[in-house]
Amino acid sequence: MDKCVHYLSDSVCYIASDNTWIESKAIQQLEITAQLPDMAYVAGMPDLHPGRGYPIGAAFFSVNRFYPALVGNDIGCGMTLFQTEFKNSKLNLDKAEKQLSEMSDIAPLEWLEAHLPTEMHNHPFAGSLGSIGGGNHFAEFQQIDRVINETLFAESGINKKQLLLLVHSGSRGLGQSILRAHTEQFGHKGLIANTEDANEYLQAHNNALDYAKINRRLIGERMMRQIRTQGVIISDVNHNLVEPCELYGQQGWLHRKGATPAHHDMVVIPGSRGDHSYIVKPIVSELSLYSLPHGAGRKWMRTECKGRLSHRFTPLQLSRTALGSRIICANKQLIYEEAPQSYKSIESVIESMVNVGLIEVIARLKPVITYKTSGEMA
């Protein structure tokens, strides 16, 4: 356990086994963020990697004030897991790929009008609901590859004979507009808790969390509709947010920047688009600031990927993975940026968390089809 926990000071640590790649710039960003006024504790997860000024894959606990810039522009970004009714035995990959390739990136207006919750009809960002967005967001049909803890798996209620669907997306342009409004007025300074400005931000932040949750549900409904099935939500978590919290006997504010909350019975920690994902049971601990990794974490910067890979792989080759899964991504730049090679090994991330006693692994998932962009815009 001790070998996987690296203390940079009494209040700053990151979790990583010897097999986990952690970039020095990410550690530097972790230390710099820890020096912000009123920052009390900082913890990096095994998927820690550099971000724009602040590291991704980390949790930050402050007192007296909180930092919207730490939450970032995609407030409420998270993951929703659906149990579908589609039987694995009925899957025809060619047919499913064709059906999903016909889905437009943006939800058609008439479909949205029929499926939006009443309170969202007049929302200024209603038109973006049901759409995945760019970057590392995706929707992926998956199958149970291996059950690791039979007891916990039985308690989960998951049917291993049927497809699962994992949706990773957030608050789209809404989160961006909230952060922009904040930084134009305050820059990267934190907000003193319980002030009018702080309460105004938190109200907008909480609205973005609701928006992101609705967005993932609508994405899931669109994806399942394309392959003529339906399903139910069995897990939903946000990994970009700030919330009041008590840690180490102090009342304060817990920020998660690409970190999964640990207070759920079951969560998914996904690998890259050509790697396994894992269903795990979190074990709540102050060591990790009540948080878990949110994925494998980037190994290469986006700007490096095409140069590293284009002489070795065509976009078509990258649309097929070593696990036999397929990737729908008509954006040639994005398919290089999100290639499996640009991410860390998910096994090293899971190994780190198991060694520290922060998760119990329930099952391993295998990707079937990953949807990122069809290139067809509604």
Side-chain angles (χ1 to χ4, degrees):
M1 171 179 171
D2 290 342
K3 290 182 179 179
C4 289
V5 183
H6 306 264
Y7 287 95
L8 305 175
S9 72
D10 290 342
S11 60
V12 183
C13 73
Y14 67 93
I15 299 163
S17 71
D18 291 340
N19 297 322
T20 309
W21 167 254
I22 302 288
E23 194 173 336
S24 59
K25 185 178 178 181
I27 297 173
Q28 183 182 39
Q29 287 185 343
L30 203 66
E31 293 179 299
I32 291 171
T33 307
Q35 295 168 16
L36 290 171
D38 293 326
M39 189 61 65
Y41 296 97
V42 172
M45 306 299 126
D47 58 335
L48 184 73
H49 59 282
R52 295 178 181 174
Y54 305 108
I56 301 166
F60 313 89
F61 180 70
S62 61
V63 294
N64 303 321
R65 77 180 78 199
F66 60 83
Y67 291 88
L70 273 183
V71 179
N73 65 344
D74 198 5
I75 304 163
C77 185
M79 297 181 190
T80 302
L81 183 67
F82 298 79
Q83 171 76 75
T84 82
E85 296 178 357
F86 198 105
K87 292 182 179 178
N88 295 324
S89 59
K90 302 288 186 183
L91 180 65
N92 179 314
L93 263 180
D94 290 334
K95 181 180 179 181
E97 183 180 26
K98 183 177 185 296
Q99 290 170 323
L100 291 167
S101 296
E102 293 169 351
M103 188 178 91
S104 60
D105 294 337
I106 306 298
L109 185 58
E110 61 274 16
W111 186 90
L112 266 183
E113 289 175 347
H115 291 81
L116 280 183
T118 305
E119 70 274 14
M120 301 301 289
H121 275 279
N122 296 317
H123 195 285
F125 289 89
S128 294
L129 285 165
S131 60
I132 294 169
N136 65 345
H137 294 162
F138 64 87
E140 183 172 273
F141 285 104
Q142 303 173 329
Q143 295 172 333
I144 297 292
D145 179 60
R146 183 155 61 97
V147 174
I148 295 165
N149 187 312
E150 295 282 357
T151 302
L152 291 176
F153 185 80
E155 292 173 359
S156 75
I158 294 172
N159 188 331
K160 62 183 176 182
K161 294 182 179 180
Q162 293 166 195
L163 282 179
L164 295 169
L165 171 62
L166 182 66
V167 174
H168 174 206
S169 191
S171 55
R172 306 291 276 111
L174 174 60
Q176 176 70 51
S177 70
I178 293 169
L179 180 64
R180 186 186 303 117
H182 169 77
T183 53
E184 284 175 356
Q185 187 173 0
F186 302 100
H188 284 232
K189 291 190 299 183
L191 294 172
I192 302 298
N194 301 316
T195 61
E196 184 178 343
D197 291 328
N199 293 337
E200 185 178 325
Y201 170 82
L202 288 174
Q203 182 176 353
H205 164 280
N206 292 341
N207 288 339
L209 295 185
D210 292 337
Y211 179 101
K213 184 173 183 177
I214 293 169
N215 187 40
R216 289 191 293 272
R217 176 174 62 78
L218 292 174
I219 293 166
E221 289 179 9
R222 291 185 67 211
M223 291 283 293
M224 290 185 286
R225 175 172 170 260
Q226 286 299 118
I227 64 166
R228 314 288 190 267
T229 192
Q230 54 190 356
V232 296
I233 294 172
I234 55 177
S235 173
D236 182 85
V237 298
N238 297 311
H239 56 231
N240 283 2
L241 72 159
V242 61
E243 61 185 4
C245 181
E246 181 179 334
L247 265 166
Y248 294 108
Q250 292 179 285
Q251 289 290 339
W253 296 89
L254 182 57
H255 311 68
R256 293 187 178 95
K257 178 69 170 172
T260 300
H263 56 269
H264 296 269
D265 292 333
M266 177 182 70
V267 300
V268 179
I269 302 178
S272 69
R273 306 291 54 80
D275 207 345
H276 295 103
S277 297
Y278 286 84
I279 301 175
V280 306
K281 177 182 175 61
I283 298 170
V284 177
S285 170
E286 289 184 316
L287 170 66
S288 63
L289 306 188
Y290 303 152
S291 301
L292 301 177
H294 77 313
R298 293 197 69 87
K299 186 170 61 177
W300 300 342
M301 292 177 62
R302 291 183 176 279
T303 51
E304 300 175 3
C305 297
K306 193 170 184 180
R308 285 175 175 260
L309 296 171
S310 59
H311 65 288
R312 295 167 54 199
F313 304 101
T314 66
L316 180 60
Q317 287 172 321
L318 288 176
S319 71
R320 300 293 185 264
T321 77
L323 294 179
S325 65
R326 303 185 183 185
I327 298 170
I328 298 169
C329 182
N331 184 319
K332 290 185 172 67
Q333 180 69 28
L334 187 61
I335 201 167
Y336 282 108
E337 291 177 1
E338 290 295 305
Q341 293 87 343
S342 66
Y343 280 82
K344 304 179 192 184
S345 158
I346 187 62
E347 277 73 24
S348 71
V349 171
I350 296 299
E351 174 193 49
S352 299
M353 299 304 285
V354 168
N355 288 348
V356 181
L358 292 173
I359 59 171
E360 290 184 65
V361 180
I362 300 173
R364 189 172 77 174
L365 300 167
K366 182 178 74 171
V368 176
I369 297 181
T370 308
Y371 181 99
K372 294 194 70 68
T373 165
S374 67
E376 295 293 329
M377 303 297 285

